């Protein structure tokens, strides 16, 4: 690790706290790190670093981003992700086995357990997997940490109950579960009286703001990327303090630096980042000008700069969002459809689904006559998605809504196809599960939420 990197210095603080408070205590079973939301990426970096060959902790870290949808299904989801990661690391496992013939972990029993699950809880199977894998580790002092960083959590109470159940069942010796809670909104604290000596909670004070400021100002000031980085930091600071004049000053500097670079992707990026911050001042006359100019620059650069195509897709979505907050709903729908079709054409599947969902939802609320036409096109657009793409995207909502349409129209073949697909992914009660997810997941924000700080 580069100790001169200010972010690396903050990572080192986490490592030192772990070495002091966690590593020397083999009786611990659950470690809860209390963090600020803006620190999440640093802690994710810590977990991924320790999960790599460059890790410095005495334990072996395994990090999973498995979604938490339900306490009864979480263990099965972790096992599934674990086996996929193991299969994708075949070369590394082979190298490990060649250097350490004692490493003989066999994944087959857990594949069979998943195949025979039938919707039953797999908490015991996961605990057995963790103990089994730990025993297969080549180091003499066998210790394993499963770091859980769910990309999405349907409800924190369920995650806390899952942790409690795992403690009650008995997490194996030498195995720790690492979870993260948010300072000021802690929801995963478990009373230690039930499990004396097994739980440790800690907060590591980080100076992330200063680290980002140092990073933003480091490097060659004449490098346009470094100059843009500093401008973004200053713009973000001005936005936080609601200093619109200073935001415009640094926004213009960002445009000037990147224009001189001759790099259209960088120049277009400066426009969209500047415009994104102005969504918090939605009446600012500079906002639509930035969107129009930035989109034109991205179009000019599509043929020669690979960064410009995804930027162009973003600009279409931003135009849609701006038209929507100005209550120009017909224009907004057209922009979202343009975004979806362009993203779909170039296989940016998540962005395509976001565009279709925005267009369909706006039609449902503001142009009911177009709703089912747009919904059907959105449904057809996602038919080629892989299971993982479906479960992690808004396509599940489009499938749910189109299912109701097909049911009303008695389109039996479509009903059967959706039932089969979603039943495989979410179980027999998939409709209720998708409805619950739609209620509990954070709403889709694109672009950044247009908070009206001016009282406009």
């Amino acid at each position: 690790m580069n100790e001169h990197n200010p972010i690396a210095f903050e990572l080192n603080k986490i490592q030192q706290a772990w070495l002091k408070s966690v590593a020397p205590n083999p009786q611990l079973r659950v470690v809860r790190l209390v963090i600020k939301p803006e620190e999440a990426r640093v802690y994710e970096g810590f977990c991924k670093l320790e999960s790599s060959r460059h890790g410095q902790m005495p334990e072996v870290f395994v990090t999973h981003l498995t979604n938490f949808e339900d306490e009864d299904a979480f263990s099965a989801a972790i096992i599934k992700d674990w086996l996929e990661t193991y299969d994708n690391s075949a070369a590394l496992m082979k190298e490990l086995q060649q250097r350490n013939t004692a490493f003989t972990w066999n994944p087959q029993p857990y594949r069979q357990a998943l195949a025979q699950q039938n919707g039953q809880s797999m908490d015991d199977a996961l605990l057995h997997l963790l103990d089994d894998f730990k025993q297969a580790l080549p180091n003499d002092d066998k210790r394993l940490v499963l770091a859980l960083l769910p990309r999405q959590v349907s409800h924190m109470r369920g995650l806390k109950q899952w942790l409690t159940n795992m403690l009650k069942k008995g997490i194996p010796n030498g195995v720790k579960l690492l979870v993260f809670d948010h300072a000021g909104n802690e929801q995963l604290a478990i009373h230690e009286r039930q499990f004396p000596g097994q739980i440790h909670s800690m907060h590591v004070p980080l100076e992330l703001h200063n680290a980002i400021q140092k990073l933003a100002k480091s490097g060659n000031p004449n490098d346009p990327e470094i100059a843009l980085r500093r401008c973004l930091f200053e713009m973000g600071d001005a936005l936080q303090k609601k200093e619109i004049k200073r935001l415009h000053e640094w926004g213009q500097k960002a445009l000037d630096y990147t224009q001189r670079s001759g790099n259209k992707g960088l120049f277009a990026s400066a426009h969209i980042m500047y415009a994104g911050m102005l969504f918090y001042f939605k009446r600012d006359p500079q906002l639509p000008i930035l969107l129009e100019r930035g989109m034109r620059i991205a179009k000019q650069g599509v043929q020669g700069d690979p960064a410009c195509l995804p930027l162009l897709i973003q600009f279409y979505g931003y135009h849609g969002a701006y038209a929507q907050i100005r209550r120009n709903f017909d224009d907004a729908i057209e922009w979202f459809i343009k975004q979806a079709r362009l993203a779909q054409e170039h296989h940016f599947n998540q962005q395509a689904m976001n565009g279709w969902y925005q267009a369909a939802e706006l039609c449902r609320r503001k142009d009911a006559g177009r709703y089912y036409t747009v919904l059907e096109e959105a449904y057809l657009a996602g038919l080629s998605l892989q299971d993982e793409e479906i479960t992690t995207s808004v396509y599940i909502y489009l499938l749910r809504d189109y299912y109701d349409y097909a049911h009303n129209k008695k389109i039996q073949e479509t009903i059967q196809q959706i039932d089969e697909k979603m039943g495989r992914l979410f179980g027999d009660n998939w409709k209720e599960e998708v409805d619950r997810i739609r209620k509990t997941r954070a709403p889709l924000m694109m672009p950044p939420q247009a908070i009206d700080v001016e009282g406009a």
Side-chain angles (χ1 to χ4, degrees):
M1 185 188 300
N2 180 6
E3 285 77 11
H4 299 292
N5 183 320
I7 299 297
F9 185 75
E10 300 305 308
L11 275 174
N12 185 253
K13 289 181 183 178
I14 304 170
Q15 291 172 323
Q16 294 304 313
W18 185 279
L19 287 169
K20 179 181 178 181
S21 303
V22 178
N25 298 315
Q27 77 279 8
L28 293 178
R29 298 293 182 267
V30 170
V31 179
R32 183 175 68 102
L33 283 176
V34 181
I35 70 172
K36 297 176 181 177
E38 63 268 22
E39 298 170 345
R41 294 296 295 274
V42 178
Y43 280 93
E44 182 178 341
F46 163 72
C47 291
K48 290 183 176 180
L49 174 66
E50 294 304 326
S51 297
S52 74
R53 65 184 64 188
H54 304 293
Q56 299 181 26
M57 299 300 103
E59 301 96 334
V60 172
F61 275 62
V62 176
T63 299
H64 281 303
L65 309 179
T66 309
N67 289 342
F68 179 88
E69 301 292 359
D70 184 88
E71 62 193 84
D72 294 326
F74 193 40
S75 292
I78 293 172
I79 293 173
K80 181 175 179 289
D81 282 358
W82 187 295
L83 293 173
E84 288 179 358
T85 302
Y86 180 82
D87 291 340
N88 292 335
S89 307
L92 179 61
M93 293 298 107
K94 185 175 180 180
E95 178 189 338
L96 188 61
Q97 288 170 342
Q98 288 173 345
R99 289 191 282 115
N100 303 276
T101 55
F103 185 78
T104 56
W105 187 67
N106 178 18
Q108 200 55 35
Y110 308 103
R111 299 191 201 280
Q112 294 172 354
L114 272 182
Q116 299 167 3
Q117 177 196 1
N118 293 325
Q120 299 299 310
S121 169
M122 296 196 69
D123 293 350
D124 291 328
L126 175 60
L127 292 171
H128 191 276
L129 181 154
L130 294 172
D131 189 42
D132 193 16
F133 193 86
K134 180 206 69 175
Q135 295 297 339
L137 293 174
N139 53 320
D140 294 331
D141 185 15
K142 300 174 187 214
R143 288 185 279 171
L144 177 67
V145 174
L146 173 58
L148 296 170
L149 288 157
R151 290 163 298 204
Q152 294 169 331
V153 176
S154 61
H155 49 106
M156 294 295 285
R157 184 182 302 172
L159 181 55
K160 179 180 177 180
Q161 185 59 49
W162 178 84
L163 274 175
T164 304
N165 289 340
M166 298 299 271
L167 283 162
K168 288 179 178 177
K169 286 177 176 293
I171 298 170
N173 291 333
V175 174
K176 298 182 183 76
L177 301 183
L178 170 60
V179 295
F180 297 85
D181 219 348
H182 282 176
N185 186 29
E186 298 178 31
Q187 300 186 55
L188 296 180
I190 299 171
H191 207 295
E192 193 179 357
R193 186 168 53 196
Q194 290 180 270
F195 312 99
Q198 296 186 49
I199 302 171
H200 180 68
S201 298
M202 67 177 182
H203 170 70
V204 183
L206 301 181
E207 297 180 45
L208 190 57
H209 182 81
N210 291 337
I212 294 172
Q213 186 175 23
K214 289 177 184 176
L215 189 63
K217 295 179 179 179
S218 65
N220 180 2
N222 295 318
D223 184 322
E225 291 192 20
I226 291 172
L228 176 60
R229 195 165 65 192
R230 183 184 181 191
C231 291
L232 290 175
F233 176 84
E234 297 290 352
M235 290 162 68
D237 188 61
L239 176 61
Q240 189 175 20
K241 296 175 181 176
K242 301 179 184 177
E243 296 175 353
I244 185 65
K245 182 179 178 182
R246 186 159 74 93
L247 193 159
H248 279 306
E249 288 174 359
W250 283 99
Q252 188 57 50
K253 287 181 181 180
L255 298 182
D256 293 341
Y257 285 131
T258 52
Q259 183 176 26
R260 287 198 294 267
S261 74
N263 183 323
K264 290 192 182 298
L266 202 62
F267 193 25
S269 294
H271 279 78
I272 204 165
M273 291 171 180
Y274 185 3
M277 294 190 186
L278 288 182
F279 265 88
Y280 292 84
F281 303 89
K282 62 186 181 185
R283 287 186 176 176
D284 194 293
Q286 192 69 11
L287 175 52
I289 295 172
L290 287 167
L291 291 178
E292 188 60 37
R293 287 178 180 170
M295 183 178 66
R296 188 166 63 247
I297 294 162
K299 281 182 178 179
Q300 293 170 355
V302 161
Q303 296 301 321
D305 188 337
C308 285
L309 178 60
L311 283 168
L312 183 58
I313 293 169
Q314 279 187 276
F315 272 114
Y316 285 172
Y318 274 49
H319 268 291
Y322 183 69
Q324 185 174 347
I325 64 175
R326 304 304 293 176
R327 306 188 67 78
N328 297 325
F329 299 120
D330 289 342
D331 288 348
I333 291 166
E334 291 303 324
W335 279 115
F336 288 133
I337 291 174
K338 285 181 70 173
Q339 179 197 28
R341 287 175 177 165
L342 181 63
Q344 185 180 331
E345 179 186 350
H346 294 280
H347 309 291
F348 290 91
N349 294 331
Q350 295 285 352
Q351 294 90 329
M353 290 305 108
N354 287 345
W356 283 123
Y357 183 68
Q358 295 278 13
E361 279 297 288
L362 201 50
C363 284
R364 182 179 63 81
R365 291 186 285 111
K366 300 298 179 181
D367 190 357
R370 295 186 64 187
Y371 174 53
Y372 290 115
T373 301
V374 172
L375 182 61
E376 182 172 44
E377 191 170 355
Y379 162 71
L380 294 173
L383 288 180
S384 62
L385 295 180
Q386 300 298 311
D387 286 355
E388 177 69 14
E389 293 178 301
I390 294 172
T391 57
T392 58
S393 75
V394 294
Y395 189 57
I396 60 173
Y397 310 144
L398 293 165
L399 279 171
R400 175 69 180 93
D401 294 340
Y402 194 71
Y403 181 89
D404 284 346
Y405 169 72
H407 194 271
N408 290 335
K409 294 293 183 179
K410 297 182 172 57
I411 310 174
Q412 293 302 325
E413 183 179 0
T414 299
I415 294 170
Q416 183 178 348
Q417 289 172 348
I418 297 177
D419 254 329
E420 180 181 335
K421 179 181 294 185
M422 295 297 278
R424 184 181 74 249
L425 297 176
F426 293 98
D428 292 339
N429 297 322
W430 69 265
K431 294 186 287 295
E432 293 81 359
E433 179 65 10
V434 171
D435 289 342
R436 184 184 64 77
I437 292 171
R438 178 145 43 182
K439 288 179 182 178
T440 54
R441 278 186 186 172
L444 180 66
M445 294 299 181
M446 205 200 81
Q449 187 177 6
I451 300 173
D452 190 352
V453 297
E454 303 169 303

